[in-house]
Amino acid sequence: MHNLYSRFNNLTALLSSCMMALLAAIALSSLVLTADPKGEVHITSVKVIPRKHASKKQDLAFVNFNITADLTPLFHWNTKQLFLTLEAEYTNTQGVKNEVVIWDRIVRRKEDAVVSVLGKNKYMFREVSASFKNVPPAHYALKYNVMPYVGALTYGEAGRTREPVAFPPRKSHV
Amino acid sequence: MIWKGLGLITNTESPIVVVLSGSMEPAFYRGDLLFLTNSASERYHTGDITVYKVPGAAIPIVHRVLETHDKVDTSMLVPAQRMLTKGDNNHVDDIELYNGIKWLERKHIVGKVRGFLPYVGYVTIAMNDFPQLKYALIGILGLLALVQRE
């Protein structure tokens, strides 16, 4: 009855149950530890430049932006990292709703969570119809994804442009 | 039974997946367990992490949504979405992984990542990477069955 094997079996069973309970408690705790930090998103300039790619014409938009946000409240004991994205949101002339990520950053430490970036788009910003001509102005929003050590992934928005930003007419050079 | 029930609730063919590659590091490492849902009425947003499988691909891929383009159709509950994805740890988007498809569509998507449990799935990867381990485990179990008194 009380041989080595059954003792080992009981001990590991107890340890794994305790581990599961602890992990569940941590996962649940992050549902309570919420924060809603806000920052500022400013678009300093937008340019549209036509590119010829594989014999097809394709407009590319170049966006310069200035974002500031203090996201330190999002870091608690179950925050592994934040994934920040700056995205453009607009509806084109064909009624297609678009969300395009133009910049992202991974924040892994609380010390790096005060974000102040004067930057330009990291990813190509294209229109599905290939042209930004007559496309209505776009909103730009800074969003975050809180990624936990264990448990549920949560999402939020830290800021957006107050007024939509128009796409200017095409330019032939940068 | 539990697996199928879970699949029914979450509306996905595999509600739990194991991360097989390092393309989402440092968010997900090989062996991490992901919990998925795929609610039919929900649209996908940029920043969501999807698991998708394109025709001709051997294994499902876990990557983040970079672009969404929704064709709004009033006759349908959810808009027809076209998506582009990218792995956090990759430098370029996934267009090369789509086997000739231009955009990812809803039908390619297995689910949206909702929850995360680290390391647990590594057992399955270890058994694939080191088959000896699998045989050792089977051997030990067999031995125990023989040795143990009923």
Side-chain angles (χ1 to χ4, degrees):
Chain A
M1 272 295 133
H2 295 286
N3 60 6
L4 198 64
Y5 173 71
S6 68
R7 278 170 199 273
F8 176 75
N9 203 7
N10 280 334
L11 191 68
T12 48
L14 179 69
L15 283 179
S16 54
S17 321
C18 288
M19 184 82 138
M20 292 291 248
L22 199 65
L23 288 175
I26 294 170
L28 287 174
S29 78
S30 53
L31 298 180
V32 186
L33 299 165
T34 52
D36 188 22
K38 289 288 172 213
E40 296 277 331
V41 177
H42 295 287
I43 302 302
T44 48
S45 77
V46 181
K47 282 182 188 135
V48 175
I49 289 151
R51 280 279 162 85
K52 243 190 177 159
H53 178 68
S55 79
K56 264 189 273 177
K57 267 199 174 159
Q58 170 77 60
D59 280 357
L60 296 179
F62 292 86
V63 182
N64 285 304
F65 55 83
N66 181 7
I67 48 179
T68 47
D70 180 6
L71 301 172
T72 42
L74 292 172
F75 273 87
H76 52 76
W77 68 344
N78 193 23
T79 304
K80 182 160 82 176
Q81 66 169 37
L82 302 179
F83 193 88
L84 310 179
T85 54
L86 181 68
E87 63 173 47
E89 300 171 1
Y90 66 96
T91 306
N92 71 5
T93 39
Q94 287 89 41
V96 177
K97 268 188 74 189
N98 305 279
E99 288 179 12
V100 180
V101 173
I102 60 171
W103 174 89
D104 62 14
R105 172 181 282 183
I106 296 170
V107 180
R108 302 180 71 184
R109 300 186 310 160
K110 196 173 186 172
E111 295 80 61
D112 301 332
V114 181
V115 179
S116 175
V117 182
L118 198 65
K120 59 180 200 290
N121 53 320
K122 197 170 147 184
Y123 304 116
M124 260 208 278
F125 185 8
R126 298 163 296 185
E127 215 310 288
V128 273
S129 69
S131 166
F132 280 107
K133 200 177 175 186
N134 297 329
V135 169
H139 267 292
Y140 294 81
L142 177 66
K143 301 203 170 176
Y144 59 83
N145 172 208
V146 184
M147 311 193 75
Y149 285 109
V150 59
L153 278 70
T154 50
Y155 295 85
E157 187 177 296
R160 73 171 39 237
T161 45
R162 288 205 189 85
E163 298 288 325
V165 183
F167 293 102
R170 266 189 213 125
K171 270 189 177 176
S172 53
H173 55 89
V174 180
Chain B
M1 187 64 191
I2 293 171
W3 180 253
K4 289 281 171 207
L6 214 59
L8 216 62
I9 295 165
T10 56
N11 190 36
T12 166
E13 58 184 274
S14 79
I16 300 174
V17 295
V18 176
V19 178
L20 297 173
S21 87
S23 62
M24 281 297 279
E25 284 176 17
F28 305 142
Y29 290 87
R30 269 164 60 93
D32 292 345
L33 223 56
L34 305 175
F35 300 89
L36 313 182
T37 63
N38 185 27
S39 168
S41 61
E42 209 186 342
R43 58 179 293 270
Y44 284 75
H45 298 271
T46 50
D48 285 347
I49 303 167
T50 59
V51 178
Y52 66 87
K53 205 171 165 186
V54 287
I59 51 164
I61 296 170
V62 185
H63 278 177
R64 199 184 291 271
V65 177
L66 193 69
E67 293 184 15
T68 63
H69 305 282
D70 306 6
K71 200 163 225 163
V72 181
D73 184 349
T74 43
S75 67
M76 286 194 334
L77 191 62
V78 275
Q81 282 200 297
R82 288 189 292 176
M83 285 168 262
L84 182 68
T85 54
K86 177 184 164 292
D88 289 3
N89 200 22
N90 294 351
H91 286 292
V92 292
D93 60 48
D94 288 354
I95 195 82
E96 296 292 320
L97 300 174
Y98 293 167
N99 286 333
I101 295 170
K102 272 266 179 70
W103 298 96
L104 212 59
E105 284 169 53
R106 195 54 190 268
K107 63 183 178 211
H108 303 128
I109 289 186
V110 178
K112 184 191 285 195
V113 178
R114 293 294 190 163
F116 172 76
L117 187 63
Y119 311 126
V120 178
Y122 199 80
V123 190
T124 58
I125 291 185
M127 287 201 205
N128 255 320
D129 286 0
F130 313 104
Q132 302 96 319
L133 202 72
K134 190 161 53 186
Y135 300 126
L137 200 74
I138 294 168
I140 291 167
L141 285 176
L143 209 67
L144 277 178
L146 287 175
V147 171
Q148 241 172 1
R149 289 164 297 175
E150 280 302 309

